[in-house]
Amino acid sequence: MKDVFKINTKTIVATGLGAALFAVLFMFVKIPTGIPETQIQTAYGIGAFFAALFGPIAGAAIAFIGHAVSDSVQYGSAWWSWVVASGVSCFIVGLVMPKLHVEEGSFGKQDVLLFNVFQIIGNAIAWIVVAPVLDIVVYSEPVNLVFTQGVVAAISNAVSMGVIGSLLLLLYSKTKSSKGSLSAED
């Protein structure tokens, strides 16, 4: 069984690369939703992809660091309630890692379903609970605004993770040898 909380050199390198990709995508590749300060962020697809491959610690660090860097570069400081929620969403997605068969060259229907169940739960917790509650407690934001933003963010990030994350995991699985695909020559 895969150790979901194992950190090694490969995980650290993936976290650095993932956080850099996350920050760049977060700044430059997003789709407006019509709700103030809420866009469909393609970065979450990358965060989910790395989280599913390297686990919850890498996923949380990638989203947390990438979001914090992006906010700091764009706005001068991070909006910490949403930075924390980003980390929470990818942490929860990373918990699916030991149940997937991507490294064995398979990302079948069961894997797709499991990945998407985890990412939908992660997005719901992060954006409908964590972000709005922290917005209210830390920033004294209006309740109706932050919960509207949270629901839109949960849906849009679930779409990003579901589509982009699933496609990347499927493509990545195709680069791996399937278990039992090699046979001895007679």
Side-chain angles (χ1 to χ4, degrees):
M1 177 156 165
K2 301 174 196 169
D3 185 1
V4 73
F5 295 106
K6 183 177 180 183
I7 297 175
N8 56 29
T9 304
K10 188 175 168 182
T11 306
I12 293 168
V13 170
T15 300
L17 176 62
L21 284 169
F22 192 98
V24 169
L25 289 173
F26 205 83
M27 287 189 280
F28 300 114
V29 187
K30 51 191 167 190
I31 303 162
T33 62
I35 304 293
E37 302 302 321
T38 310
Q39 299 88 25
I40 297 174
Q41 291 284 359
T42 59
Y44 289 105
I46 290 291
F49 169 71
F50 278 94
L53 291 179
F54 297 100
I57 303 298
I62 287 165
F64 184 91
I65 294 166
H67 192 150
V69 166
S70 171
D71 275 7
S72 297
V73 168
Q74 290 183 97
Y75 309 115
S77 67
W79 192 263
W80 291 108
S81 56
W82 282 50
V83 170
V84 169
S86 288
V88 167
S89 70
C90 287
F91 178 89
I92 293 169
V93 173
L95 294 172
V96 77
M97 182 196 72
K99 298 178 183 323
L100 297 181
H101 302 97
V102 177
E103 291 292 343
E104 291 88 34
S106 174
F107 190 65
K109 291 177 187 175
Q110 191 84 11
D111 292 313
V112 173
L113 179 65
L114 198 55
F115 169 74
N116 280 290
V117 165
F118 272 75
Q119 67 90 359
I120 289 168
I121 291 169
N123 279 304
I125 291 170
W127 303 111
I128 300 173
V129 178
V130 174
V133 168
L134 289 177
D135 274 348
I136 293 163
V137 171
V138 176
Y139 298 110
S140 300
E141 290 288 311
V143 173
N144 60 341
L145 173 64
V146 296
F147 281 102
T148 300
Q149 288 176 326
V151 168
V152 171
I155 293 166
S156 64
N157 292 339
V159 168
S160 175
M161 284 185 182
V163 173
I164 296 167
S166 293
L167 285 172
L168 289 173
L169 288 166
L170 177 65
L171 292 172
Y172 181 78
S173 73
K174 300 292 183 196
T175 68
K176 299 296 184 178
S177 297
S178 296
K179 194 173 186 176
S181 67
L182 298 177
S183 60
E185 289 185 28
D186 295 323

